[in-house]
Amino acid sequence: GVVVADSEPAARRGAKAVKVDYEELPAVISIDDAIAAGSFYEQYGNSLATGDLEAGFAAADHVLEGTIRLGGQEHFYLEPNGCIVLPTEDDEYTLISSTQAPNKHQMYVANTLGVPMHKLVCKTKRIGGGFGGKETRSIFMHCAAAVPAYHLRRPVKAILDRDEDMQMTGGQAGPVDATMIGPVHARSPISPTPYHPWYGSHRMRVGDVLMCVSAVVAYHGGLLCTAGTRHPFMATYKVGFTKEGRVTALDMHLYSNAGEYDSRMIKHSSSAAARPSTAFTADSSCILVRQ
């Protein structure tokens, strides 16, 4: 429900007076929970492969196996999410929102009110910082403000406080850790290492590939971003390399906490799965990434 009033203090008093009874039900919260329950967006899972993975491991002197986990990070934009819904005439509305995606707000508010999209005009005067965190995560509050505006035929404004913004549009932030096991076996000769688009043409060594895997997960998990959140990620990997430290093969399983519904996270997950494949392009190096 939505509590509306003529002033913010009155609205907050009304909201605090509401008593809600919750029924606790089984929930899948973490990546480990999802793996145990087999809870995945099956239609989006995929694999990316290049080269002969078995041959790459056969050519390796050493193999390391490990797990990297990164918690979600808040974008922490300078201003919290806010919106105004202004009813006009003939069931038309002007929407003003601090969003990076006004077209999506227009679409969802129209669907919520049951009016054609052409009767809604959505404007963004200023964002106040976004970094990707104000694309879709604030739609729910815009829809919530639109419902009383529709019924009361009066303008309705909703602006979140910082703590409300982080609780409502954010996500879970977990520990950051990396564990490895190995070396587990030894084998044969050296092979040239491919050009790496991030580092240039110098030779890739095992420390580089672990840093590469960490960077991929960190980028899409949010550690290189600044508050909605970027999503928690987990990657299990097996990397083969020669005694000189040159990488010959990488086998990685990539998991991301996409939340309870299909969102932009699907694009982030697919992009994260594709990143390592760009780092190993020569025939002498092999990669398999399972999303």
Side-chain angles (χ1 to χ4, degrees), residues 189-284:
I190 310 169
S191 55
T193 310
Y195 172 83
H196 192 290
W198 294 354
Y199 301 148
S201 59
H202 81 280
R203 292 179 175 178
M204 177 83 93
R205 298 184 180 277
V206 65
D208 296 329
V209 74
L210 295 181
M211 184 166 67
C212 172
V213 173
S214 299
V216 168
V217 180
Y219 177 84
H220 293 277
L223 292 184
L224 302 185
C225 301
T226 54
T229 65
R230 293 301 186 197
H231 304 255
F233 267 77
M234 182 180 78
T236 60
Y237 62 87
K238 177 181 177 182
V239 58
F241 57 99
T242 68
K243 58 186 177 181
E244 288 79 13
R246 297 174 185 172
V247 176
T248 60
L250 172 65
D251 185 357
M252 183 167 71
H253 290 250
L254 186 65
Y255 302 92
S256 59
N257 187 339
E260 70 281 10
Y261 59 89
D262 182 356
S263 69
R264 188 172 177 81
M265 178 56 226
I266 301 303
K267 295 181 180 179
H268 294 164
S269 181
S270 297
S271 178
R275 293 271 175 157
S277 64
T278 66
F280 307 96
T281 54
D283 293 339
S284 57

Coordinates of all heavy atoms in Angstrom, one line a residue, residues 189-284:
P189 N 55.7 -28.7 -22.3 CA 56.4 -27.5 -22.7 C 55.7 -26.2 -22.7 O 54.6 -26.1 -22.3 CB 56.8 -27.9 -24.1 CG 55.7 -28.7 -24.6 CD 55.1 -29.4 -23.4
I190 N 56.4 -25.1 -23.1 CA 55.9 -23.8 -23.2 C 55.2 -23.5 -24.5 O 55.6 -24.0 -25.5 CB 57.1 -22.8 -23.0 CG1 58.0 -23.2 -21.9 CG2 56.7 -21.4 -22.9 CD1 59.3 -22.5 -21.9
S191 N 54.2 -22.7 -24.4 CA 53.6 -22.2 -25.7 C 53.4 -20.7 -25.6 O 53.3 -20.2 -24.5 CB 52.2 -22.9 -25.8 OG 51.4 -22.7 -24.7
P192 N 53.5 -20.0 -26.7 CA 53.4 -18.6 -26.7 C 52.0 -18.1 -26.1 O 51.0 -18.8 -26.2 CB 53.5 -18.2 -28.2 CG 53.1 -19.4 -28.9 CD 53.5 -20.6 -28.1
T193 N 52.0 -17.0 -25.5 CA 50.8 -16.4 -24.9 C 50.2 -15.4 -25.8 O 50.9 -14.6 -26.4 CB 51.2 -15.8 -23.5 OG1 52.0 -16.8 -22.8 CG2 50.0 -15.5 -22.7
P194 N 48.9 -15.3 -25.9 CA 48.2 -14.4 -26.8 C 48.3 -12.9 -26.4 O 48.7 -12.6 -25.3 CB 46.8 -14.8 -26.8 CG 46.6 -15.4 -25.4 CD 47.9 -16.1 -25.1
Y195 N 48.0 -12.1 -27.4 CA 47.9 -10.6 -27.1 C 46.7 -10.4 -26.1 O 45.7 -11.0 -26.3 CB 47.6 -9.9 -28.4 CG 47.3 -8.4 -28.2 CD1 48.3 -7.5 -28.0 CD2 46.0 -8.0 -28.1 CE1 48.0 -6.2 -27.8 CE2 45.6 -6.7 -27.9 CZ 46.7 -5.8 -27.8 OH 46.3 -4.5 -27.6
H196 N 46.9 -9.7 -25.1 CA 45.8 -9.4 -24.2 C 45.3 -8.0 -24.3 O 46.1 -7.0 -24.2 CB 46.4 -9.6 -22.7 CG 45.3 -9.6 -21.7 ND1 44.6 -8.5 -21.4 CD2 44.8 -10.6 -21.0 CE1 43.7 -8.8 -20.4 NE2 43.8 -10.1 -20.2
P197 N 44.0 -7.8 -24.6 CA 43.5 -6.5 -24.9 C 43.5 -5.5 -23.8 O 43.5 -4.3 -24.0 CB 42.1 -6.8 -25.4 CG 41.7 -8.1 -24.8 CD 43.0 -8.9 -24.7
W198 N 43.6 -6.0 -22.5 CA 43.6 -5.1 -21.4 C 45.1 -4.7 -21.1 O 45.3 -3.6 -20.6 CB 43.0 -5.8 -20.2 CG 41.6 -6.0 -20.3 CD1 40.7 -5.6 -21.3 CD2 40.8 -6.8 -19.4 NE1 39.5 -6.1 -21.1 CE2 39.5 -6.8 -19.9 CE3 41.0 -7.4 -18.2 CZ2 38.4 -7.4 -19.3 CZ3 39.9 -8.0 -17.5 CH2 38.7 -8.0 -18.1
Y199 N 46.0 -5.7 -21.2 CA 47.4 -5.4 -20.8 C 48.3 -5.0 -21.9 O 49.4 -4.6 -21.6 CB 47.9 -6.6 -20.0 CG 47.1 -7.1 -18.9 CD1 47.1 -8.4 -18.5 CD2 46.5 -6.2 -18.1 CE1 46.3 -8.8 -17.4 CE2 45.7 -6.6 -17.0 CZ 45.7 -7.9 -16.6 OH 44.9 -8.3 -15.6
G200 N 47.9 -5.3 -23.1 CA 48.8 -5.1 -24.2 C 49.5 -6.4 -24.7 O 48.9 -7.5 -24.5
S201 N 50.6 -6.3 -25.3 CA 51.2 -7.5 -25.9 C 52.2 -8.3 -25.0 O 52.9 -9.2 -25.5 CB 51.9 -7.1 -27.2 OG 52.9 -6.2 -27.0
H202 N 52.3 -7.9 -23.7 CA 53.3 -8.6 -22.9 C 52.8 -10.0 -22.6 O 51.6 -10.3 -22.7 CB 53.6 -7.8 -21.7 CG 52.6 -8.0 -20.6 ND1 51.4 -7.3 -20.6 CD2 52.6 -8.8 -19.5 CE1 50.7 -7.7 -19.5 NE2 51.4 -8.6 -18.8
R203 N 53.6 -10.9 -22.2 CA 53.2 -12.3 -22.0 C 52.4 -12.4 -20.7 O 52.7 -11.9 -19.7 CB 54.4 -13.2 -21.9 CG 55.2 -13.2 -23.3 CD 56.4 -14.1 -23.2 NE 57.0 -14.3 -24.5 CZ 58.1 -14.9 -24.7 NH1 58.7 -15.5 -23.7 NH2 58.6 -15.0 -26.0
M204 N 51.3 -13.2 -20.9 CA 50.4 -13.4 -19.8 C 50.9 -14.5 -18.9 O 51.3 -15.6 -19.3 CB 49.0 -13.8 -20.3 CG 48.0 -14.1 -19.2 SD 47.2 -12.7 -18.6 CE 45.8 -12.6 -19.7
R205 N 51.0 -14.3 -17.6 CA 51.4 -15.3 -16.6 C 50.3 -15.6 -15.7 O 49.2 -15.0 -15.7 CB 52.6 -14.8 -15.8 CG 53.8 -14.5 -16.8 CD 55.1 -14.1 -16.0 NE 56.2 -13.9 -16.9 CZ 56.9 -14.8 -17.4 NH1 56.7 -16.1 -17.1 NH2 57.9 -14.5 -18.3
V206 N 50.5 -16.6 -14.9 CA 49.4 -17.1 -14.0 C 48.8 -16.0 -13.1 O 47.7 -15.9 -12.8 CB 49.8 -18.4 -13.2 CG1 50.9 -18.1 -12.2 CG2 48.6 -19.0 -12.5
G207 N 49.8 -15.2 -12.6 CA 49.3 -14.1 -11.7 C 48.4 -13.2 -12.5 O 47.4 -12.7 -11.9
D208 N 48.7 -13.0 -13.8 CA 47.8 -12.1 -14.6 C 46.5 -12.7 -14.8 O 45.5 -12.0 -14.8 CB 48.5 -11.9 -16.0 CG 49.8 -11.2 -15.9 OD1 49.9 -10.3 -15.0 OD2 50.7 -11.4 -16.7
V209 N 46.4 -14.0 -15.1 CA 45.1 -14.6 -15.3 C 44.2 -14.6 -14.1 O 43.0 -14.4 -14.2 CB 45.2 -16.1 -15.9 CG1 45.6 -17.0 -14.8 CG2 43.9 -16.5 -16.5
L210 N 44.8 -14.8 -12.9 CA 44.0 -14.7 -11.7 C 43.5 -13.3 -11.5 O 42.4 -13.0 -11.0 CB 44.8 -15.2 -10.5 CG 45.2 -16.7 -10.5 CD1 46.0 -17.1 -9.2 CD2 44.0 -17.6 -10.6
M211 N 44.4 -12.3 -11.8 CA 44.0 -10.9 -11.7 C 42.9 -10.6 -12.7 O 42.0 -9.9 -12.5 CB 45.2 -10.0 -11.9 CG 44.8 -8.5 -11.7 SD 46.3 -7.5 -11.5 CE 47.0 -7.7 -13.2
C212 N 43.0 -11.2 -13.9 CA 42.0 -11.0 -15.0 C 40.6 -11.6 -14.5 O 39.6 -10.9 -14.6 CB 42.4 -11.8 -16.2 SG 41.2 -11.8 -17.5
V213 N 40.6 -12.8 -13.9 CA 39.4 -13.4 -13.5 C 38.8 -12.5 -12.4 O 37.6 -12.2 -12.3 CB 39.6 -14.8 -13.0 CG1 38.3 -15.3 -12.3 CG2 40.0 -15.7 -14.1
S214 N 39.7 -12.1 -11.4 CA 39.2 -11.2 -10.3 C 38.6 -9.9 -10.9 O 37.6 -9.4 -10.4 CB 40.4 -10.9 -9.4 OG 40.8 -12.1 -8.8
A215 N 39.3 -9.3 -11.9 CA 38.9 -8.0 -12.5 C 37.5 -8.2 -13.2 O 36.6 -7.3 -13.0 CB 39.9 -7.5 -13.4
V216 N 37.3 -9.3 -13.9 CA 36.1 -9.5 -14.5 C 34.9 -9.6 -13.5 O 33.9 -9.0 -13.7 CB 36.1 -10.9 -15.3 CG1 34.7 -11.3 -15.8 CG2 37.0 -10.7 -16.5
V217 N 35.1 -10.4 -12.5 CA 34.1 -10.6 -11.5 C 33.9 -9.2 -10.7 O 32.8 -8.8 -10.4 CB 34.5 -11.7 -10.5 CG1 33.4 -11.9 -9.4 CG2 34.6 -13.0 -11.3
A218 N 35.0 -8.5 -10.4 CA 34.9 -7.3 -9.7 C 34.1 -6.2 -10.5 O 33.3 -5.5 -10.0 CB 36.3 -6.8 -9.3
Y219 N 34.4 -6.1 -11.8 CA 33.8 -5.1 -12.6 C 32.3 -5.3 -12.6 O 31.5 -4.4 -12.5 CB 34.4 -5.2 -14.0 CG 33.7 -4.2 -15.0 CD1 34.1 -2.9 -15.0 CD2 32.6 -4.6 -15.8 CE1 33.6 -2.0 -15.9 CE2 32.0 -3.7 -16.6 CZ 32.5 -2.4 -16.7 OH 31.9 -1.5 -17.5
H220 N 31.9 -6.6 -12.9 CA 30.5 -6.8 -13.0 C 29.8 -7.0 -11.6 O 28.6 -6.9 -11.5 CB 30.2 -8.0 -13.9 CG 30.6 -7.7 -15.3 ND1 29.8 -7.0 -16.2 CD2 31.8 -7.9 -16.0 CE1 30.4 -6.9 -17.3 NE2 31.6 -7.4 -17.2
G221 N 30.6 -7.3 -10.6 CA 30.1 -7.4 -9.2 C 30.0 -6.1 -8.6 O 29.3 -5.9 -7.6
G222 N 30.7 -5.1 -9.1 CA 30.5 -3.7 -8.6 C 31.7 -3.1 -7.9 O 31.6 -2.0 -7.5
L223 N 32.8 -3.8 -7.7 CA 33.8 -3.2 -6.9 C 34.5 -2.1 -7.6 O 35.2 -1.3 -7.0 CB 34.9 -4.3 -6.5 CG 34.3 -5.4 -5.5 CD1 35.5 -6.3 -5.1 CD2 33.8 -4.7 -4.3
L224 N 34.4 -2.0 -8.9 CA 34.9 -0.9 -9.7 C 33.9 0.1 -10.0 O 34.1 1.0 -10.8 CB 35.6 -1.5 -11.0 CG 36.7 -2.5 -10.8 CD1 37.3 -2.9 -12.1 CD2 37.7 -2.1 -9.8
C225 N 32.7 -0.1 -9.4 CA 31.6 0.9 -9.7 C 31.5 1.7 -8.4 O 32.2 1.6 -7.4 CB 30.3 0.2 -10.0 SG 30.4 -0.8 -11.4
T226 N 30.7 2.7 -8.4 CA 30.5 3.5 -7.2 C 29.1 3.3 -6.7 O 28.6 3.6 -5.9 CB 30.7 4.9 -7.5 OG1 29.9 5.3 -8.6 CG2 32.1 5.2 -7.7
A227 N 27.0 2.9 -6.2 CA 25.7 2.6 -5.7 C 24.7 2.4 -6.7 O 24.9 2.9 -7.6 CB 25.3 3.7 -5.0
G228 N 20.8 1.6 -7.4 CA 20.8 0.2 -7.2 C 22.2 -0.4 -7.0 O 23.1 0.3 -6.9
T229 N 22.5 -1.6 -6.9 CA 23.8 -2.2 -6.8 C 24.2 -3.0 -8.0 O 23.4 -3.3 -8.8 CB 23.8 -3.2 -5.6 OG1 22.9 -4.3 -5.9 CG2 23.3 -2.6 -4.3
R230 N 25.5 -3.2 -8.1 CA 26.0 -4.3 -9.0 C 25.8 -5.5 -8.2 O 25.9 -5.5 -6.9 CB 27.4 -4.0 -9.4 CG 27.6 -2.8 -10.3 CD 26.7 -2.9 -11.5 NE 27.0 -1.8 -12.4 CZ 26.3 -1.5 -13.5 NH1 25.2 -2.1 -13.7 NH2 26.6 -0.5 -14.3
H231 N 25.8 -6.7 -8.8 CA 25.3 -7.9 -8.2 C 26.4 -8.7 -7.6 O 27.5 -8.7 -8.2 CB 24.5 -8.7 -9.2 CG 23.4 -7.9 -9.8 ND1 22.0 -8.2 -9.4 CD2 23.3 -6.9 -10.7 CE1 21.3 -7.3 -10.1 NE2 22.0 -6.6 -10.9
P232 N 26.1 -9.5 -6.6 CA 27.1 -10.5 -6.1 C 27.5 -11.5 -7.1 O 26.6 -12.0 -7.9 CB 26.4 -11.1 -4.9 CG 25.3 -10.2 -4.5 CD 24.9 -9.5 -5.8
F233 N 28.7 -11.9 -7.2 CA 29.2 -12.9 -8.2 C 30.0 -13.9 -7.4 O 30.6 -13.7 -6.4 CB 30.1 -12.2 -9.2 CG 29.4 -11.8 -10.5 CD1 28.6 -10.7 -10.5 CD2 29.5 -12.6 -11.6 CE1 28.0 -10.2 -11.6 CE2 28.9 -12.2 -12.8 CZ 28.1 -11.0 -12.8
M234 N 30.0 -15.1 -8.0 CA 31.0 -16.2 -7.6 C 31.5 -16.9 -8.8 O 30.8 -17.1 -9.8 CB 30.3 -17.2 -6.7 CG 31.2 -18.3 -6.2 SD 30.4 -19.5 -5.1 CE 29.6 -20.5 -6.4
A235 N 32.8 -17.1 -8.8 CA 33.4 -17.8 -10.0 C 34.3 -18.9 -9.4 O 35.1 -18.7 -8.5 CB 34.3 -16.9 -10.8
T236 N 34.1 -20.1 -9.9 CA 35.0 -21.2 -9.6 C 35.9 -21.4 -10.9 O 35.3 -21.4 -12.0 CB 34.2 -22.5 -9.3 OG1 33.4 -22.9 -10.4 CG2 33.4 -22.3 -8.1
Y237 N 37.1 -21.6 -10.7 CA 38.0 -21.7 -11.9 C 39.0 -22.8 -11.8 O 39.4 -23.2 -10.7 CB 38.7 -20.3 -12.1 CG 39.7 -20.0 -10.9 CD1 41.0 -20.4 -10.9 CD2 39.2 -19.2 -9.9 CE1 41.8 -20.1 -9.8 CE2 40.0 -18.9 -8.8 CZ 41.3 -19.3 -8.8 OH 42.1 -19.0 -7.7
K238 N 39.5 -23.2 -12.9 CA 40.6 -24.1 -13.0 C 41.5 -23.6 -14.1 O 41.1 -23.4 -15.2 CB 40.1 -25.5 -13.4 CG 41.2 -26.6 -13.6 CD 40.6 -27.9 -14.0 CE 41.7 -29.0 -14.3 NZ 41.1 -30.3 -14.7
V239 N 42.8 -23.3 -13.8 CA 43.7 -22.6 -14.7 C 44.9 -23.5 -14.9 O 45.5 -23.9 -13.9 CB 44.0 -21.2 -14.3 CG1 44.6 -21.1 -12.9 CG2 44.9 -20.5 -15.3
G240 N 45.4 -23.7 -16.1 CA 46.6 -24.4 -16.3 C 47.7 -23.5 -16.8 O 47.4 -22.6 -17.6
F241 N 48.9 -23.7 -16.4 CA 50.0 -22.8 -16.8 C 51.3 -23.6 -16.8 O 51.5 -24.6 -16.1 CB 50.1 -21.6 -15.9 CG 50.3 -21.9 -14.5 CD1 51.5 -21.9 -13.9 CD2 49.2 -22.2 -13.7 CE1 51.7 -22.1 -12.5 CE2 49.3 -22.5 -12.3 CZ 50.5 -22.5 -11.8
T242 N 52.3 -23.1 -17.5 CA 53.6 -23.7 -17.6 C 54.5 -23.3 -16.4 O 54.1 -22.4 -15.6 CB 54.3 -23.4 -18.9 OG1 54.7 -22.0 -18.8 CG2 53.5 -23.6 -20.1
K243 N 55.6 -24.0 -16.3 CA 56.5 -23.6 -15.1 C 57.1 -22.2 -15.3 O 57.5 -21.7 -14.3 CB 57.6 -24.7 -15.0 CG 58.5 -24.8 -16.3 CD 59.5 -25.9 -16.1 CE 60.3 -26.1 -17.4 NZ 61.2 -27.2 -17.3
E244 N 57.0 -21.7 -16.5 CA 57.4 -20.3 -16.7 C 56.3 -19.3 -16.4 O 56.4 -18.1 -16.4 CB 57.9 -20.0 -18.1 CG 59.2 -20.6 -18.5 CD 59.1 -22.1 -18.7 OE1 58.0 -22.6 -18.9 OE2 60.1 -22.8 -18.8
G245 N 55.1 -19.8 -16.0 CA 54.0 -19.0 -15.7 C 53.1 -18.6 -16.8 O 52.2 -17.7 -16.7
R246 N 53.2 -19.2 -18.0 CA 52.4 -18.9 -19.1 C 51.1 -19.7 -19.1 O 51.1 -20.9 -19.0 CB 53.2 -19.1 -20.4 CG 54.4 -18.2 -20.5 CD 55.2 -18.6 -21.8 NE 56.4 -17.8 -21.8 CZ 57.4 -18.0 -22.7 NH1 57.3 -19.0 -23.6 NH2 58.5 -17.3 -22.6
V247 N 50.0 -19.0 -19.3 CA 48.7 -19.7 -19.2 C 48.4 -20.5 -20.4 O 48.5 -20.0 -21.6 CB 47.6 -18.6 -18.9 CG1 46.2 -19.3 -18.9 CG2 47.8 -17.9 -17.6
T248 N 47.9 -21.7 -20.3 CA 47.6 -22.5 -21.4 C 46.1 -22.9 -21.5 O 45.5 -23.2 -22.5 CB 48.4 -23.9 -21.4 OG1 48.0 -24.6 -20.2 CG2 49.8 -23.6 -21.4
A249 N 45.4 -22.8 -20.3 CA 44.0 -23.1 -20.3 C 43.3 -22.5 -19.1 O 43.9 -22.4 -18.0 CB 43.8 -24.7 -20.3
L250 N 42.0 -22.2 -19.3 CA 41.2 -21.7 -18.2 C 39.8 -22.3 -18.3 O 39.1 -22.2 -19.4 CB 41.1 -20.2 -18.2 CG 40.1 -19.5 -17.2 CD1 40.5 -19.8 -15.8 CD2 40.0 -18.0 -17.5
D251 N 39.3 -22.9 -17.3 CA 37.9 -23.4 -17.2 C 37.2 -22.7 -16.0 O 37.7 -22.9 -14.9 CB 37.9 -25.0 -17.0 CG 36.5 -25.6 -17.1 OD1 35.6 -24.8 -17.2 OD2 36.5 -26.8 -17.0
M252 N 36.2 -22.0 -16.3 CA 35.5 -21.2 -15.3 C 34.0 -21.3 -15.3 O 33.4 -21.3 -16.3 CB 35.9 -19.7 -15.4 CG 35.3 -18.8 -14.3 SD 36.1 -17.1 -14.3 CE 35.3 -16.5 -15.8
H253 N 33.5 -21.5 -14.1 CA 32.0 -21.5 -13.9 C 31.7 -20.2 -13.2 O 32.2 -19.8 -12.2 CB 31.6 -22.6 -13.0 CG 31.7 -24.0 -13.6 ND1 30.6 -24.7 -14.0 CD2 32.8 -24.7 -14.0 CE1 31.0 -25.9 -14.6 NE2 32.3 -25.9 -14.6
L254 N 30.8 -19.4 -13.8 CA 30.5 -18.0 -13.4 C 29.0 -18.0 -12.9 O 28.1 -18.4 -13.6 CB 30.7 -17.0 -14.5 CG 30.5 -15.6 -14.2 CD1 31.6 -15.1 -13.2 CD2 30.6 -14.7 -15.4
Y255 N 28.8 -17.6 -11.6 CA 27.5 -17.5 -11.1 C 27.2 -16.0 -10.6 O 28.1 -15.4 -10.1 CB 27.4 -18.4 -9.8 CG 27.6 -19.8 -10.1 CD1 28.9 -20.4 -9.9 CD2 26.6 -20.7 -10.5 CE1 29.1 -21.7 -10.2 CE2 26.8 -22.0 -10.7 CZ 28.1 -22.5 -10.5 OH 28.4 -23.9 -10.8
S256 N 26.1 -15.5 -10.9 CA 25.7 -14.2 -10.4 C 24.3 -14.2 -9.8 O 23.4 -15.0 -10.2 CB 25.7 -13.2 -11.6 OG 24.8 -13.6 -12.6
N257 N 24.2 -13.4 -8.7 CA 22.9 -13.3 -8.0 C 22.1 -12.3 -8.8 O 22.2 -11.1 -8.6 CB 23.1 -12.9 -6.6 CG 21.8 -12.9 -5.8 OD1 20.7 -12.9 -6.4 ND2 21.9 -13.0 -4.5
A258 N 21.2 -12.8 -9.7 CA 20.4 -11.9 -10.5 C 19.1 -11.4 -9.9 O 18.4 -10.6 -10.4 CB 20.0 -12.6 -11.8
G259 N 18.9 -11.9 -8.6 CA 17.6 -11.4 -8.0 C 16.4 -12.3 -8.3 O 16.5 -13.3 -9.0
E260 N 15.3 -11.8 -7.9 CA 14.1 -12.6 -8.0 C 13.3 -12.4 -9.3 O 12.3 -13.0 -9.6 CB 13.1 -12.2 -6.9 CG 12.5 -10.8 -7.0 CD 13.4 -9.7 -6.5 OE1 14.6 -9.9 -6.3 OE2 12.9 -8.5 -6.4
Y261 N 13.8 -11.5 -10.2 CA 13.1 -11.3 -11.5 C 14.1 -10.9 -12.6 O 15.2 -10.4 -12.3 CB 12.0 -10.3 -11.4 CG 12.5 -8.9 -10.9 CD1 12.9 -8.0 -11.9 CD2 12.5 -8.6 -9.6 CE1 13.4 -6.7 -11.5 CE2 13.0 -7.3 -9.2 CZ 13.4 -6.4 -10.1 OH 13.9 -5.2 -9.7
D262 N 13.7 -11.2 -13.8 CA 14.5 -10.8 -14.9 C 14.7 -9.3 -15.0 O 13.8 -8.5 -15.0 CB 13.8 -11.3 -16.2 CG 14.6 -11.1 -17.5 OD1 15.6 -10.5 -17.4 OD2 14.1 -11.5 -18.5
S263 N 16.0 -8.9 -15.0 CA 16.3 -7.5 -15.0 C 17.5 -7.3 -15.9 O 18.0 -8.2 -16.6 CB 16.5 -7.0 -13.6 OG 17.7 -7.5 -13.1
R264 N 18.1 -6.1 -15.8 CA 19.3 -5.8 -16.5 C 20.5 -6.7 -16.1 O 21.5 -6.8 -16.8 CB 19.7 -4.3 -16.3 CG 20.8 -3.8 -17.1 CD 21.0 -2.3 -17.0 NE 22.1 -1.9 -17.8 CZ 22.1 -1.7 -19.1 NH1 21.0 -1.9 -19.8 NH2 23.2 -1.3 -19.7
M265 N 20.4 -7.4 -15.0 CA 21.4 -8.3 -14.5 C 21.7 -9.3 -15.5 O 22.9 -9.8 -15.6 CB 21.0 -8.9 -13.2 CG 22.0 -9.9 -12.6 SD 23.6 -9.1 -12.4 CE 24.6 -10.4 -13.1
I266 N 20.7 -9.7 -16.3 CA 21.0 -10.7 -17.3 C 22.0 -10.3 -18.3 O 22.9 -11.0 -18.7 CB 19.7 -11.1 -18.1 CG1 18.6 -11.6 -17.1 CG2 19.9 -12.1 -19.1 CD1 19.0 -12.8 -16.2
K267 N 22.0 -9.0 -18.7 CA 23.0 -8.4 -19.6 C 24.4 -8.4 -18.9 O 25.4 -8.7 -19.5 CB 22.6 -7.0 -20.0 CG 21.3 -7.0 -20.9 CD 21.0 -5.6 -21.3 CE 19.7 -5.5 -22.2 NZ 19.4 -4.2 -22.6
H268 N 24.4 -8.0 -17.6 CA 25.6 -8.0 -16.9 C 26.3 -9.4 -16.8 O 27.5 -9.5 -17.0 CB 25.4 -7.5 -15.5 CG 25.0 -6.0 -15.5 ND1 24.4 -5.5 -14.3 CD2 25.0 -5.0 -16.4 CE1 24.1 -4.2 -14.6 NE2 24.4 -3.9 -15.8
S269 N 25.4 -10.4 -16.6 CA 25.9 -11.7 -16.4 C 26.5 -12.2 -17.8 O 27.6 -12.8 -17.8 CB 24.8 -12.7 -16.0 OG 25.3 -14.0 -15.8
S270 N 25.8 -12.0 -18.9 CA 26.3 -12.4 -20.2 C 27.6 -11.7 -20.5 O 28.5 -12.3 -21.1 CB 25.2 -12.1 -21.2 OG 24.1 -12.9 -21.0
S271 N 27.7 -10.4 -20.2 CA 28.9 -9.6 -20.5 C 30.0 -10.2 -19.7 O 31.2 -10.3 -20.2 CB 28.6 -8.2 -20.2 OG 29.8 -7.4 -20.4
A272 N 29.8 -10.5 -18.4 CA 30.8 -11.0 -17.6 C 31.3 -12.4 -18.1 O 32.5 -12.7 -18.0 CB 30.3 -11.2 -16.1
A273 N 30.4 -13.2 -18.6 CA 30.8 -14.5 -19.2 C 31.7 -14.3 -20.4 O 32.6 -15.1 -20.7 CB 29.6 -15.3 -19.5
A274 N 31.5 -13.2 -21.2 CA 32.2 -13.0 -22.4 C 33.6 -12.4 -22.2 O 34.5 -12.6 -23.0 CB 31.4 -12.1 -23.4
R275 N 33.8 -11.7 -21.1 CA 35.0 -10.9 -20.9 C 36.3 -11.8 -20.9 O 37.2 -11.5 -21.6 CB 35.0 -10.2 -19.6 CG 34.0 -9.0 -19.6 CD 34.6 -7.7 -20.0 NE 33.6 -6.7 -20.1 CZ 33.9 -5.4 -20.1 NH1 35.1 -5.0 -20.0 NH2 32.9 -4.5 -20.2
P276 N 36.3 -12.9 -20.2 CA 37.5 -13.7 -20.2 C 37.9 -14.3 -21.6 O 39.1 -14.4 -21.9 CB 37.2 -14.9 -19.2 CG 36.1 -14.4 -18.3 CD 35.3 -13.5 -19.2
S277 N 36.9 -14.5 -22.4 CA 37.2 -15.1 -23.7 C 37.9 -14.1 -24.6 O 38.6 -14.5 -25.5 CB 35.9 -15.5 -24.4 OG 35.1 -14.4 -24.7
T278 N 37.8 -12.8 -24.3 CA 38.6 -11.8 -25.1 C 40.0 -11.8 -24.7 O 40.9 -11.2 -25.4 CB 38.0 -10.4 -24.9 OG1 38.1 -10.0 -23.6 CG2 36.5 -10.4 -25.3
A279 N 40.4 -12.3 -23.5 CA 41.7 -12.3 -23.0 C 42.6 -13.4 -23.6 O 43.8 -13.3 -23.5 CB 41.7 -12.4 -21.5
F280 N 42.0 -14.4 -24.1 CA 42.7 -15.6 -24.6 C 42.2 -15.9 -26.0 O 41.2 -16.6 -26.2 CB 42.6 -16.8 -23.7 CG 42.9 -16.5 -22.3 CD1 41.8 -16.2 -21.4 CD2 44.2 -16.5 -21.8 CE1 42.1 -15.9 -20.1 CE2 44.4 -16.2 -20.5 CZ 43.4 -15.9 -19.6
T281 N 42.9 -15.4 -27.0 CA 42.4 -15.5 -28.4 C 43.4 -16.4 -29.3 O 43.0 -16.8 -30.4 CB 42.3 -14.2 -29.0 OG1 43.5 -13.4 -28.9 CG2 41.2 -13.4 -28.3
A282 N 44.6 -16.6 -28.8 CA 45.5 -17.4 -29.7 C 45.2 -18.9 -29.6 O 44.6 -19.4 -28.6 CB 46.9 -17.2 -29.2
D283 N 45.6 -19.6 -30.6 CA 45.3 -21.1 -30.6 C 46.0 -21.8 -29.5 O 45.5 -22.9 -29.1 CB 45.8 -21.7 -32.0 CG 44.9 -21.2 -33.1 OD1 43.8 -20.7 -32.9 OD2 45.4 -21.2 -34.3
S284 N 47.0 -21.2 -29.0 CA 47.8 -21.9 -27.9 C 47.2 -21.8 -26.5 O 47.6 -22.5 -25.6 CB 49.2 -21.3 -27.8 OG 49.2 -20.0 -27.6

